[in-house]
Amino acid sequence: MSASHTTAARLAEELAAGNVTAVEVTQRHLDRIAAVDGQVHAFLHVDAEGALEQAAASDARRADGRSLSPLDGVPIAVKDVMATKGLPTTCGSRILEGWVPPYDATVVARLREAGLPILGKTNMDEFAMGSSTEHSAYGPTRNPWDLGRIPGGSGGGSAAAVAAYEAPLAIGTDTGGSIRQPGAVTGTVGVKPTYGGVSRYGLVSLANSLDQAGPVTRTVLDAALLHEVIGGHDPRDSTSIDAPLPDLVGAARRGAEGDLTGVRIGVVKELGGEGYQAGVLARFQESVDLMVAAGAELVEVSCPSFVHALATYYLILPAEASSNLARFDAMRYGLRKYPEGVEAPSAEEVMRATREAGFGDEVKRRIILGTYALSSGYYDAYYGQAQKVRTLISQDFAEAFTHADVLLSPTAPTTAFELGEKLDDPLAMYLNDLATIPANLSGVPGISVPSGLADEDGLPAGVQILAPAMRDDRVYVVGAALEAALTEKWGGPLLDQARGLEGVSA
Ligand code: GLN
């Protein structure tokens, strides 16, 4: 097994024991990136020099007994939606080409304060709109299980980087499923924290009331370790929760012992069945059975409003996005395009030419939808209605959590589809997030844990575990218990079975 296969938790131990240096670990991952990223295209920007400098600083600190955190020296990849001081930040869009932020997002600042070398920025659907990473203006990312297939989206770059062993850890963002769905289709772990649990300062907004950054990893424990680094109150984000995080690492370790006695697990009736691939449902059922065998009590819960979640999301998200994306006006950031054949064009003409050239089709589609939904006369009929349904969805969650400690569903309805398969069919693309969107609309935390390989195509599927707001610890307890049971069943990590990059060395 190549050394870059080591988990972050294990790397932290090896670094602490002095068996390896941060420079060696970082170089190993840079070598892996050099070997495979030509095929995977998980990265939009690799900062080899910066990462090695940060790793050398970490080694120097360690030698002085001044390590900053358990993950000091463990390298990480960051989704290109996060502002990174001195590093390009494009959000997968032409309109931000060439923009180098003068400041760090809080998440990035916290990574630096904890000593994690930043390997680079990962590919994504433009402005995080999509479920396949094919909407990136810089070309798609490919799934390490099968290079002809999508790695999920919008955070396909972060998920693929971790699945391809290019990085032990990555940062993603999840507005409707962009951490969890890529996790499911690449056989990795992804966590959407409670809304307000991780700062949004410096995260380029898609839809402020839904966006949340979180960990992308290969194990549940690694996710908990990373979550503790990036989470917690930030006065720079007015929606940040001013309360301590629960003990997430403790929860993951407790869960890994495999005992779920007394935990009530609720299977959501509305999330499954029609529209879900048979192999995905079979792996889901097996996971539920394993949790019951570990002592959990199974209850079925109904959340009737969830059937409206997708429609609600596709009113609220475009409305917020159309307003957020107004700032890309050719004056402040990145691209500026002058209209052809116009002498002394007006500011409005430059803005129009820039937005026409700088935004892709999906972004334009949502700006138009959102502008329409917010326009006077339609506001009450569309946006106002959607906000009311959003409340109903939260009420369904509240009711369900009186019967169950966590709620379960398949993470995504299908395994990874082929590149190009859904690109011209927006609705088919949107359906990928059927099961993940309710959590964003209500702000509750969720994790996706690999559940195994679907029989039809031998590709990974995921189980989603949701908990009440601010009880992120529960997704780690249950996620780690499930992971432990499944890893024992498989005889090792699921990713050991990925064959897409076979034959590639390093
Ligand atoms: N796929 C969803 C969308 O296109 C979710 C995106 C996200 O979570 N950023 O909106």
Side-chain angles (χ1 to χ4, degrees), residues 128-131 154 174-178 206 313-314 317 366 433:
M129 299 180 190
S131 299
S154 65
D174 191 311
T175 303
S178 286
L206 167 55
Y313 175 87
Y314 278 99
L317 177 134
R366 295 198 197 187
D433 295 315

Side-chain angles (χ1 to χ4, degrees), residues 1 23 56 95 106 144 163 173 189 252 283 301 378 402 484:
M1 192 207 286
V23 167
I95 211 155
T106 294
T173 58
V189 173
R283 294 296 84 83
V301 299
Y378 295 109
T402 65

Side-chain angles (χ1 to χ4, degrees), residues 135-184:
H135 292 312
S136 168
Y138 303 98
T141 297
R142 289 163 185 273
N143 192 321
W145 285 81
D146 176 346
L147 296 172
R149 295 189 184 247
I150 59 101
S154 65
S158 284
V162 167
Y165 304 104
E166 295 172 88
L169 301 169
I171 296 291
T173 58
D174 191 311
T175 303
S178 286
I179 290 176
R180 289 164 288 160
Q181 180 258 8

Side-chain angles (χ1 to χ4, degrees), residues 203-482:
L203 188 184
V204 180
S205 290
L206 167 55
N208 333 26
S209 76
L210 304 162
D211 298 339
Q212 202 39 212
V216 173
T217 62
R218 290 193 293 266
T219 69
V220 175
L221 176 60
D222 282 2
L225 285 162
L226 180 54
H227 194 154
E228 288 197 354
V229 168
I230 60 174
H233 183 240
D234 177 16
R236 285 173 152 158
D237 171 0
S238 62
T239 57
S240 166
I241 298 170
D242 192 0
L245 285 179
D247 175 11
L248 307 174
V249 172
R253 292 198 196 277
R254 214 166 53 247
E257 288 166 15
D259 184 8
L260 290 177
T261 307
V263 178
R264 297 168 304 163
I265 55 171
V267 171
V268 184
K269 196 173 127 220
E270 287 76 12
L271 303 179
E274 208 193 323
Y276 288 74
Q277 192 177 319
V280 169
L281 292 175
R283 294 296 84 83
F284 176 67
Q285 190 53 50
E286 263 171 31
S287 295
V288 172
D289 293 345
L290 281 172
M291 290 187 234
V292 171
E297 181 195 332
L298 178 63
V299 292
E300 193 187 294
V301 299
S302 175
C303 296
S305 303
F306 283 16
V307 298
H308 304 301
L310 196 71
T312 304
Y313 175 87
Y314 278 99
L315 283 167
I316 292 173
L317 177 134
E320 293 187 18
S322 69
S323 154
N324 282 321
L325 296 179
R327 73 182 57 135
F328 301 106
D329 57 3
M331 309 296 146
R332 285 180 267 203
Y333 316 88
L335 188 74
R336 178 176 302 165
K337 195 109 185 140
Y338 295 93
E340 263 169 56
V342 183
E343 224 174 283
S346 67
E348 205 179 322
E349 284 167 327
V350 174
M351 206 182 298
R352 192 179 306 135
T354 302
R355 287 168 70 87
E356 166 59 29
F359 286 139
D361 288 351
E362 183 62 25
V363 173
K364 287 177 184 160
R365 183 178 296 125
R366 295 198 197 187
I367 290 173
I368 292 168
L369 266 173
T371 309
Y372 180 81
L374 287 178
S375 52
S376 87
Y378 295 109
Y379 184 96
D380 287 338
Y382 296 113
Y383 187 74
Q385 280 298 102
Q387 290 292 14
K388 287 180 193 162
V389 179
R390 189 173 187 174
T391 302
L392 294 177
I393 289 167
S394 288
Q395 287 171 354
D396 278 1
F397 267 120
E399 162 70 16
F401 283 128
T402 65
H403 305 291
D405 300 308
V406 293
L407 301 179
L408 307 174
S409 76
T411 307
T414 70
T415 56
F417 45 91
E418 283 174 19
L419 283 154
E421 199 180 317
K422 300 189 178 174
L423 199 49
D424 299 325
D425 185 350
L427 208 57
M429 193 69 93
Y430 298 169
L431 286 169
N432 279 282
D433 295 315
L434 217 50
T436 45
I437 279 173
N440 300 82
L441 288 169
S442 186
V444 306
I447 193 171
S448 178
V449 176
S451 59
L453 306 180
D455 308 307
E456 304 88 2
D457 49 24
L459 291 165
V463 171
Q464 168 175 247
I465 302 161
L466 304 172
M470 300 180 68
R471 293 311 308 267
D472 303 53
D473 52 326
R474 287 190 195 164
V475 309
Y476 286 105
V477 171
V478 179
L482 174 62

